Every structure is written in C-alpha cells, then in structure tokens.
Amino acid sequence: MGRRVALVLGAGGARGYAHIGAVQVILERGHEIVTIAGTSMGALVGGVTAAGRLEEYTEWATGLTQYDVWRLLDMNLGGGGAIRAERVFAKVADILGGALIEDCAVPFTAVATDLNNRREVWFQRGPVATAIRASVAIPSIVTPVVVGGRLLVDGGLMNPVPIEPTTATSSDLTIAVSLQAGHTRGVDIQPASPVRSVSALTESVRSLTSRVGALIGHTGAEGHPTEPHADDVAHEVEPVTESTGSPERAGADRGLDYLPAPKDLTSSEVFNRSFDTMAALITRYRMASNPPDVLVSVPSDACRTMDFHRAAEMIALGRELTQRALDDAGY
C-alpha cells in the first residue's frame, strides 16, 4: 500500500545524483511524494522533481562526459568562487521553463545560507531556478549570489539534510537521503579530480574550514549555540604505532611522531573531506531532534564533489541504497 511521503534531499555535490535513484524507487513502489525539501544538489534534484521535469533533467545529466563538465564549469577569478557554472544553471533554467515554486504540483523548499545574518533561508515562493542557484553555491567553489539583498551560499553549511521544512505538510512517513555517510574505504586517499583545473583553482579554499567553523560553530537553525555530545569529543590522542615499512617521519629528528600527508592529496580534496565532516556532524545534531522514518545514507566517498560526469553510476547507487532502506523499514 502506497504511503504519502515527505522527501528530504541532502547536500553533497555530484553524489546528489543518488537522489534521482531514490525518487525513482519511491515512485516505483507506489508511494506519493507530497512535499520535498532540499539543500544544494538536493535542492536541484528536488526542484526539478517538484516541477515535473526530473525525467528531462536526468536524460541530460546522464549524457554528460568529463569534457562536457569541464566546458560547462565557467572558471572565475573573482566574485567569491572558483567557478560560476552559469552554463549549467542556464541549462537547468531552460529545463525548468520558468517554473515557480508556488505553482509546482508538489510543495517544495530549497534551503540556502545567508552569510551576513548567519541564518537559513527557505525558498518557498518564486522561480525554482533562482532557489536552486542560491542553494548550490558551495563556498569558495561556486560563486555566491545576492537575492533580496542577502548574500547566499550553499544551504548545507547550516542544514545539510533539511527535514524541518517538510513538517508543515501532512504525510505518512519522512524519507531522508543523506550524502554524508562515513567513508567506505577508511583512510584511502582518492586521486585528484579528472577536471584538474577545478582543483587548481580551488587552492584558495585551504583556509575555508576554519572560516566556516567560525561562522557556524555548533548552531541550530536559528543560530543558538548547542553543546556537543560527549561521543563527538576526542578525549585523548592515540599515538601512531602501526607501520608497514620504514616511511620517512616528518620531524623525526626533533622527536615528533607523525607522517607527512600523501603527496597526491590536493587542497580541494582536503576541503571536500573537511566540509563533509562538518556537514555530517551538523546532520547528526539536527536529526537527533527530528529524525526521519527512513534514512538513506550515501557514502561520502562514493564520488568526488565535482564528478558530475558520473550521473548514471550515482543514480544506480541511489536506487540500490533506497531499495535496501525501504526493505529494512518494511515499506
């Protein structure tokens, strides 16, 4: 028997293609999606779904090659981000055809972050394309935008899996898709992105983690500080004792006991992992007070943030993980 589903789609770059697979499985099982909230890539997939354009968007996304992605990512030397991606957003706007949020068949909320006021912004009226553009502005990577006098960036900074906007709509169950599950390959370091110029241009993000930490801290939706859970605090640093050979130890001559970072580890990879770590922590805090009925967890190392040529693979992963989560929950 089909259920009325409140669907929540989280932030996570190209991993967000998994949201498409989740939507497909939910509908194939006879459930009705009655409200959608999304952040970042979740806002994009949620927006085209609410506007009835998911099939057209999916057809376009699955046809992208690495070269297509490179061509669509407009490099930028100013304006607060390494890329503008205006060609991408122009295509998304074309697919949406001027759709307004208030006219969508399914109620939709896109979540962005107001940097000046340090608050969430919920888009529940106006052009779907504008809401998506504001929500996907990954700090220092995709340029921010100004809407209504507010400087807006990625909603994942404050609400990576935005369950709260869906609570106003009556539903039978809430299904949330988080793109912040732990790495599946432990300490393995992925190679640099094939779109090498993106990595080169995002060298400036090395200091972003500390700046984001100062901006967010441990805050709730309204910016009120909260205490970290005891399990989230490292009480003791364990010394590194395992070794598979005789690697050169940085600072060994000064009695320091640590290894240098891998030489192929890029600044953009450090940023991506740092952002994911922060987002995972915020997600845990916020879900503790408002848990979904079904949680679909996509590993954060399923693909790199800018791997937008891997749509088919991520859609398949989203389908697999959603089927498993729904089966386990009995839906």
Side-chain angles (χ1 to χ4, degrees), residues 2 16 20 24 30 34 37 61 97 120 137 147 174 191 206 225 235 296 328:
I20 297 175
Q24 291 173 346
V34 295
E120 292 178 37
V147 179
T174 298
R206 284 178 294 181
H235 296 288
V296 180
D328 290 345

Side-chain angles (χ1 to χ4, degrees), residues 44 47-48 51-61 72 85-100 127-130 132-133:
L44 198 165
V48 297
R53 310 295 170 86
L54 180 63
E55 185 174 347
E56 185 177 352
Y57 172 76
T58 302
E59 182 179 356
W60 173 71
L72 290 167
E86 292 306 325
R87 294 174 186 174
V88 174
F89 297 123
K91 178 62 179 178
V92 171
D94 182 60
I95 290 173
L96 287 166
L100 299 176
V128 177
T130 298
I132 290 172
R133 177 63 182 89

Side-chain angles (χ1 to χ4, degrees), residues 246-309:
S246 300
E248 177 185 354
R249 291 185 179 273
D253 58 337
R254 295 185 297 277
L256 301 178
D257 190 20
Y258 58 83
L259 297 174
K263 292 186 183 200
D264 61 350
L265 180 62
T266 65
S267 292
S268 61
E269 177 66 17
V270 172
F271 164 72
N272 290 337
R273 291 197 176 203
S274 300
F275 192 92
D276 288 343
T277 298
M278 179 189 68
L281 177 63
I282 296 172
T283 298
R284 289 214 312 273
Y285 279 130
R286 303 199 69 155
M287 278 192 183
S289 61
N290 198 8
D293 299 294
V294 178
L295 176 62
V296 180
S297 296
V298 178
S300 57
D301 60 352
C303 76
R304 292 176 292 265
T305 300
M306 305 303 291
D307 280 354
F308 289 104
H309 60 287

Side-chain angles (χ1 to χ4, degrees), residues 64-97:
L64 292 176
T65 65
Q66 287 187 27
Y67 176 76
D68 293 329
V69 172
W70 161 250
R71 184 174 53 84
L72 290 167
L73 298 178
D74 312 306
M75 295 305 149
N76 181 60
L77 297 178
I83 61 176
R84 292 175 300 176
E86 292 306 325
R87 294 174 186 174
V88 174
F89 297 123
K91 178 62 179 178
V92 171
D94 182 60
I95 290 173
L96 287 166

Side-chain angles (χ1 to χ4, degrees), residues 107-122:
F108 169 64
T109 303
V111 178
T113 299
D114 180 347
L115 279 184
N116 292 334
N117 294 308
R118 302 183 180 184
R119 286 182 176 273
E120 292 178 37
V121 174
W122 293 4

